[in-house]
């Protein structure tokens, strides 16, 4: 085991929790509480999903902090808060639905239920209020990819090969999501594959043996080794 294992566990616990939320959403769909209508339970679970999504980059950053046993800089933390929390919140369309629906392709489309207001959930915060899109704008989706991937290749404390493998999985699964009509939901589902690379990480990149490993401090054992060496 390595210190990276604990960081990986934190990241997977947060990122993987979206699958539990997805399961609840499909249960609500079976009760006609998603596409057919926007209910209070739909809003509540959609809100929980939004919290998890905003926490995912921080789980990646926190995982690096655990692996390196060192806090991030205040500049990094401020950048993460701005990009991953403040800007997405400013992008919510006022008066639009905060519920989730099922896309034409059969995927969960979070925060984009076309309710009585006939508008979807997101826009760029500097655009007119009436210009809304069905998902988080692509520039933010790219920002989330970068902020989640960055800690895996940040300087020091992690073998470069280990970080590059995790980044490759993140990019590949992000592209799988981009090819669908529900990018965020499909990316979270596809990225469960990262469990494999994170479990294998300690075997592919084992920690160096501790200094003095293999040496004995027992006088009798040292004497026996000296005799055998002659």
């Amino acid at each position: 085991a390595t210190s990276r294992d604990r960081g990986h566990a934190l990241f997977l616990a947060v990122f993987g929790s979206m699958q539990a939320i997805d399961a609840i959403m499909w249960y609500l769909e079976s009760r006609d509480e998603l596409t057919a209508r926007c209910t209070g339970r739909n809003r509540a679970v959609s809100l929980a999903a939004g919290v998890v999504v905003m926490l995912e980059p921080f789980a990646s950053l926190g995982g690096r902090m655990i692996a390196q046993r060192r806090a991030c800089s205040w500049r990094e933390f401020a950048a993460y808060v701005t990009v991953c929390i403040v800007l997405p919140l400013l992008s919510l369309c006022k008066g639009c639905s905060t519920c989730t629906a099922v896309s034409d392709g059969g995927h969960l489309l979070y925060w984009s239920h076309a309710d009585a207001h006939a508008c979807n959930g997101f826009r760029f915060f500097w655009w007119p209020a009436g210009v809304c899109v069905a998902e988080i704008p692509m520039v933010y989706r790219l920002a989330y990819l970068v902020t989640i991937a960055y800690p895996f290749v940040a300087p020091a404390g992690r073998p470069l090969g280990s970080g590059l493998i995790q980044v490759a999985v993140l990019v590949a699964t992000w592209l799988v999501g981009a090819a669908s009509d529900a990018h965020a939901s499909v990316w979270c589902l596809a990225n469960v594959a990262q469990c494999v690379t994170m479990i294998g990480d300690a075997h592919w990149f084992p920690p160096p043996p501790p200094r003095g490993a293999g040496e004995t401090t027992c006088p009798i054992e040292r004497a026996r080794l000296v005799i055998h060496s002659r």
Side-chain angles (χ1 to χ4, degrees):
T2 69
S3 60
R4 297 191 304 275
D5 291 340
R6 290 184 289 274
H8 290 162
L10 171 63
F11 176 73
L12 289 176
V14 176
F15 210 107
S17 64
M18 277 299 293
Q19 301 318 305
I21 292 176
D22 280 2
I24 297 172
M25 281 298 188
W26 286 118
Y27 168 76
L28 293 179
E29 171 65 4
S30 71
R31 309 277 295 185
D32 292 328
E33 293 187 47
L34 257 67
T35 306
R37 53 201 173 104
C38 179
T39 65
R41 292 198 294 185
N42 188 331
R43 287 191 183 90
V45 180
S46 297
L47 175 61
V51 172
V52 170
V53 168
M54 287 190 288
L55 286 177
E56 287 171 353
F58 291 92
S60 182
L61 188 63
R64 187 198 73 182
M65 292 165 59
I66 292 173
Q68 295 184 358
R69 297 184 176 91
R70 185 176 65 185
C72 65
S73 70
W74 69 266
R75 292 183 181 86
E76 285 177 318
F77 185 75
Y80 270 61
V81 170
T82 301
V83 172
C84 304
I85 296 179
V86 175
L87 292 181
L89 289 178
L90 288 174
S91 297
L92 289 171
C93 284
K94 294 181 179 179
C96 290
S97 174
T98 55
C99 279
T100 295
V102 178
S103 70
D104 293 337
H107 303 115
L108 292 172
L109 199 57
Y110 281 97
W111 321 294
S112 298
H113 192 288
D115 62 0
H117 298 286
C119 62
N120 291 314
F122 290 92
R123 64 180 175 86
F124 291 106
F125 69 90
W126 58 84
W127 284 9
V131 182
C132 295
V133 293
E135 273 202 285
I136 300 172
M138 177 60 76
V139 66
Y140 293 151
R141 284 178 259 164
L142 281 169
Y144 270 76
L145 173 62
V146 171
T147 52
I148 292 174
Y150 163 75
F152 289 106
V153 290
R158 182 189 300 273
L160 181 59
S162 169
L164 290 177
I165 287 174
Q166 307 309 328
V167 169
V169 175
L170 283 165
V171 172
T173 54
W174 188 91
L175 291 173
V176 170
S180 74
D181 61 350
H183 192 172
S185 178
V186 176
W187 180 28
C188 287
L189 174 61
N191 205 61
V192 172
Q194 198 154 21
C195 291
V196 177
T197 56
M198 287 187 167
I199 290 173
D201 180 77
H203 302 283
W204 303 331
F205 303 95
R211 192 173 182 179
E215 298 180 1
T216 178
T217 58
C218 175
I220 298 175
E221 182 66 15
R222 283 208 308 269
R224 186 184 68 81
L225 291 174
V226 168
I227 293 172
H228 280 282
S229 66
R230 294 175 180 176

